[in-house]
Amino acid sequence: MDAEVISAGILREVLEVGELNLHEIRSQIGSATAHLLHESLRVKNFASRVDILDDENAAALRKFCLTYYDIRALILDLALKLDMMRHLGHLPRYQQQIISLQVMKIYAPLAHAVGTNYISLELEDLSFQYLFPYSYLYVDTWLRSQETGGISLIDVYKDELLESLKSDPILAELVDDISVKGRYKSRYSTMKKLLKDGRRPEDVNDVLGLRVVLNPKSRENALEAGERACYRAHQIIQSMWKEIPSRTKDYISRPKGNGYRSLHMAVDVSEIGRTRPLMEIQIRTTEMDRLAVGGMASHSLYKAGLTNPEEVSVFFELFCIHSSS
């Protein structure tokens, strides 16, 4: 976000408590910041336009928001909503649930739609915690049980894999940088899997996930070297954990229709006497990763529930306008 959005974020609470008004902000800070503050206040109150927050009304509100509000004001309000959800404990229970329902049905999907996925995931988990505290505790307790000596499993596997990749001489000839990122499936996403498929927690396959990103050395055949590096990383992982062949998908040799390229695999990290969930691993080059992240818009829209073509087209039109400006 630019300086205007940051300024508006700092001034929003000052404006709301009446210490400054929009006229003073316009004259002392600038008209652009004042406009964003005005827009963000409109976004803040737009959920009150409906009496019943069912799926149909939530979809209509998302479409309205994407059509009529400055997308920067939307992102500002999402950040403020996240801050509010992190400090919701002092409110009465009924207010916690009202706010959490709005966030779950409207703001978390919007955060997905505009590409701020990390905000969306935390909004979902926080809303889930207040709406269904016992279900949240069940999932959270199980995920926390997947720790070793207070250290999360994902950190243990991430460090172990990074060390193995960096110590391989063949891979060292092909790349000049290696990164491994890890993530747990969110509490809310895990619960949705359990409810949808009737699974036990240990049967949810993508609870653990790693992403290997390889930066090939600058040379004429960097593209070929990057692909070779991905397959070499695949071989190294096969030597570390048991691969589940049915879960392997090679989108490098056979890219998806949208151009997405990556190597996907799942490995069994269970130990003797203790069953672990399967761990999913993605392997790609920095260029593949850049294109994958840049192309996340369609996936984000799907995850946000924006399946209506008209709603999707509104988002892309606004996104392009604001990106170009």
Side-chain angles (χ1 to χ4, degrees), residues 13 30 52 115 127 129 164 249 251 284 290:
E13 286 190 37
I52 301 174
S127 301
Q129 183 177 5
S164 296
K249 294 181 175 64
Y251 296 120
R284 58 180 67 156
R290 184 184 67 81

Side-chain angles (χ1 to χ4, degrees), residues 11 13 37-38 55 67 82 91 96 104 124 145 149 162 172 178 181 187 212 229 241 257 282 288 308:
L11 293 170
E13 286 190 37
L37 282 166
H38 175 66
D55 289 344
T67 304
L82 178 57
L91 292 178
Q96 292 174 345
M104 181 72 81
E124 286 176 344
S145 72
L162 183 60
I178 303 170
K181 302 174 184 177
R187 272 69 175 159
V212 178
W241 298 297
Q282 299 175 351
M288 294 175 192
N308 184 314

Side-chain angles (χ1 to χ4, degrees), residues 109-121:
L110 279 174
H112 261 304
V114 298
T116 55
N117 293 345
Y118 66 97
I119 291 181
S120 178
L121 290 173

Side-chain angles (χ1 to χ4, degrees), residues 281-318:
I281 303 177
Q282 299 175 351
I283 308 167
R284 58 180 67 156
T285 65
T286 49
E287 178 65 12
M288 294 175 192
D289 189 57
R290 184 184 67 81
L291 292 173
V293 172
M296 280 298 288
S298 58
H299 177 67
S300 298
L301 291 165
Y302 163 75
K303 296 287 281 187
L306 305 187
T307 53
N308 184 314
E310 185 180 354
E311 192 174 357
V312 171
S313 66
V314 167
F315 168 76
F316 275 117
E317 182 179 352
L318 290 173

Side-chain angles (χ1 to χ4, degrees), residues 39 55 68-69 71 86 95 111 129 138 171 176 234 255:
E39 285 285 286
D55 289 344
Y68 294 106
Y69 297 137
I71 197 168
R86 287 172 174 172
Q95 283 188 297
Q129 183 177 5
Y138 171 75
L171 200 56
D176 55 20
H234 183 206

Side-chain angles (χ1 to χ4, degrees), residues 174-175 214 216 221-234 252-253 255 261 263 283-285 288:
L174 298 170
V175 301
L214 307 164
N221 58 345
L223 180 61
E224 180 186 346
E227 293 179 359
R228 287 173 54 202
C230 290
Y231 291 118
R232 178 57 187 169
H234 183 206
I252 294 178
S253 62
R261 303 182 75 211
L263 186 60
I283 308 167
R284 58 180 67 156
T285 65
M288 294 175 192

